[in-house]
Amino acid sequence: MKALVLCSGGIDSTTALGIAIKKFGQENVIGLCMSYGQKHVRELESARAVAKHYGIELISMDLSKIFEYSDSSLLSHSDEEIPKESYAKQLDGAAQDETVSTYVPFRNGLFLSTAASIALSKDCSYIYYGAHKDDAAIAAYPDCSEEFNNAIKTAIWEGSGHQLNIEAPFISKNKADIVKMGLELGVPYELTWSCYEGGDKPCGKCGTCIDRAAAFAANGIPDPAIQ
Amino acid sequence: MKALVLCSGGIDSTTALGIAIKKFGQENVIGLCMSYGQKHVRELESARAVAKHYGIELISMDLSKIFEYSDSSLLSHSDEEIPKESYAKQLDGAAQDETVSTYVPFRNGLFLSTAASIALSKDCSYIYYGAHKDDAAIAAYPDCSEEFNNAIKTAIWEGSGHQLNIEAPFISKNKADIVKMGLELGVPYELTWSCYEGGDKPCGKCGTCIDRAAAFAANGIPDPAIQ
């Protein structure tokens, strides 16, 4: 049995990778990382460092042309600044069904569909990805919702001729739970990257930096990536 | 209201385009055509000719790198010949859940997800595509099945924050029905292309050529694309 793991270089996907490697063995796991025009290309270096750490094949795909019409603030062609607030704060007062500026249109759907095409070609039976409860709770990220996750799982199962399963091991867990699991597995968090800004070091102020720091604090340790 | 239409240059998608243009007006319709490494790139020229005929914007996307690991006989890097039989005949004796050599892994899922990302960026509320009953009946094309179509429709609706609908106007129609609708709409079938081979003229022998000829014959006319 083989598994393809969506690797962003962050905490969630790196922990999902650790779980898949423990289950299938490093020789049966392939990583997949995506360039999509993101400002934070630094995360791709982290994905490569993590893949090297585990000794797995890492496939890179460039999907940036698909997003060239999007005005998401996450994308390098956007002049809009990434909000320096936690996600929950960005959403204060937002109407239901309203997305935030960091929403990249149907990104998770596109990533999972791309992963499905590659996984089938590579004879994988599983796709692992790091969707979790915190993201699912954010109405402004509709492609993280439970309804979306259930539907895309079915679409990939049916559309692959019952060959391919989606595994989202953190779907009912929060980021602190994920870090707890990862610490037990020896996941190399010192190699990971979460910051949405394009700097050399994490900014410590953007939504992902804030949420990441809180997840390590909940486990009683400082962030191993920050020296 | 705006619509994005998946355009392959063939009969089904060109008829779907004709329907969308009649409903929304040519200025509110965008075409999207995909290079995916197919041998029959001639279909892309047809998609461009059809878009020019209707005076609509046509976006081209190259997804071929995603399929570079696939051994589908439809792809230009494959040495395998495309079977010269109708789909039904290819499947004689095939086990349930078995795919045929012309299956391109999760192609429809990837195409629809790509379309969803672009449609949201372009403020479209609808994606039209030419899925039909004949394809859905072929177990070897799981990404044409009713179960797949229902699930991906839900995934895109949920993952877009209830912004984007999939319209598959031929889901309960066969190819002869589609041609009948298209003839009434004045769809320029003389510009379309269906052949899976890479020649200058349709081969007349591959599965798509056979099925196409039958659809026109059922409407009592010869294929307008063949002179």
Side-chain angles (χ1 to χ4, degrees), chain A residues 157-158 160-163, chain B residues 91 94-100 103 139-142:
Chain A
W157 175 247
E158 294 295 342
S160 68
H162 304 169
Q163 303 293 314
Chain B
L91 288 163
Q96 207 184 354
D97 283 357
E98 197 173 329
T99 55
V100 289
Y103 174 68
Y141 285 126

Side-chain angles (χ1 to χ4, degrees), chain B residues 131-153:
Chain B
H132 57 78
K133 200 170 69 174
D134 296 347
D135 280 349
I138 300 175
Y141 285 126
D143 60 342
C144 295
S145 69
E146 190 182 341
E147 292 79 5
F148 166 75
N149 280 317
N150 289 339
I152 197 79
K153 184 182 171 80

